[in-house]
Amino acid sequence: MDETARWLTPEEQHAWRSFVRLHERLGGRLSRLLQSESNISAADFAVLVHLTDVPEGRQRFQDLARALEWEKSRMSHHIARMAKRGLVVRQECPEDGRGAFVVITDAGREAIEAAAPLHVKAVRDLFLDHVTPSELRVLADVSERVVGKLDEDLS
C-alpha cells in the first residue's frame, strides 16, 4: 500500500462518486436512446460528430483516435464496422503511405442529421433542464480546466 497516497476526504469522495455515477448513468441512457431511436451507437455518434466538425468531413485516423481517447485497435475495428454500414470510408493518405483518413459519407451525414435532434432533446430532458444557468457555467469552467490539464499532460 502506498503510504504517500492522498486519500479522498469524505466530501471529495462523495463529489467524485456522484460525478462518476452521473457520467455512467447519463452516458448509458443516451447510448440506449441513440441505439433504439436512431440505430447508431454512442461510439458511431461520437465519430460522426467529430467528422462533421472538421473541414471536408475527414480527419486523420490517428487524430480522430486521439480526440476520442481510443486505442488504435478499437478505432480500427470500429471504423471497419462503420465502413461496412456505409457511414464512413477509409482513404489512404497520398503524402504518407502509413497514414489514412476517415471520411464521413452521405449516409453518415444522413445518420447524424437524423440522430442529432433526438440526442439534443435527450440531453435537454435528462440533463440541461435540471441545472441552473450558473451551475452550467461552473460545470463548463471546471470541465474546460480539467480537459486543458489532461491535454497539457499529453504534450
Side-chain angles (χ1 to χ4, degrees):
M1 194 160 238
D2 184 7
E3 298 206 17
T4 62
R6 292 179 49 219
W7 298 108
L8 301 182
T9 66
E11 182 179 21
E12 290 169 334
Q13 187 173 52
H14 174 74
W16 176 249
R17 287 184 177 180
S18 295
F19 169 75
V20 169
R21 197 167 40 254
L22 168 67
H23 182 265
E24 290 169 346
R25 289 195 181 158
L26 188 57
R29 187 76 54 90
L30 289 170
S31 180
R32 285 189 302 277
L33 285 168
L34 273 172
Q35 188 69 54
S36 66
E37 300 291 326
S38 302
N39 204 28
I40 63 171
S41 69
D44 295 339
F45 189 82
V47 168
L48 295 173
V49 165
H50 275 278
L51 292 176
T52 58
D53 285 347
V54 294
E56 300 173 16
R58 63 185 248 169
Q59 191 168 27
R60 281 189 170 271
F61 187 92
Q62 67 187 29
D63 293 339
L64 184 57
R66 192 175 307 119
L68 294 171
E69 297 273 341
W70 288 4
E71 297 289 330
K72 184 180 175 184
S73 63
R74 177 183 181 189
M75 188 67 166
S76 182
H77 290 294
H78 195 81
I79 294 303
R81 288 190 300 271
M82 289 180 73
K84 282 182 185 173
R85 294 177 17 239
L87 300 173
V88 298
V89 293
R90 184 182 172 123
Q91 288 180 345
E92 297 306 316
C93 179
E95 304 90 39
D96 176 1
R98 297 175 302 160
F101 289 99
V102 179
V103 184
I104 192 169
T105 62
D106 289 343
R109 287 192 188 281
E110 289 173 16
I112 193 73
E113 287 169 7
L118 301 167
H119 179 73
V120 169
K121 181 182 181 327
V123 168
R124 287 194 179 286
D125 292 346
L126 298 172
F127 182 72
L128 293 174
D129 291 347
H130 308 285
V131 296
T132 67
S134 63
E135 289 168 332
L136 198 58
R137 283 190 296 276
V138 169
L139 178 63
D141 290 345
V142 169
S143 298
E144 288 169 3
R145 186 170 55 248
V146 173
V147 168
K149 178 64 176 145
L150 293 171
D151 289 347
E152 191 179 287
D153 290 347
L154 288 176
S155 303

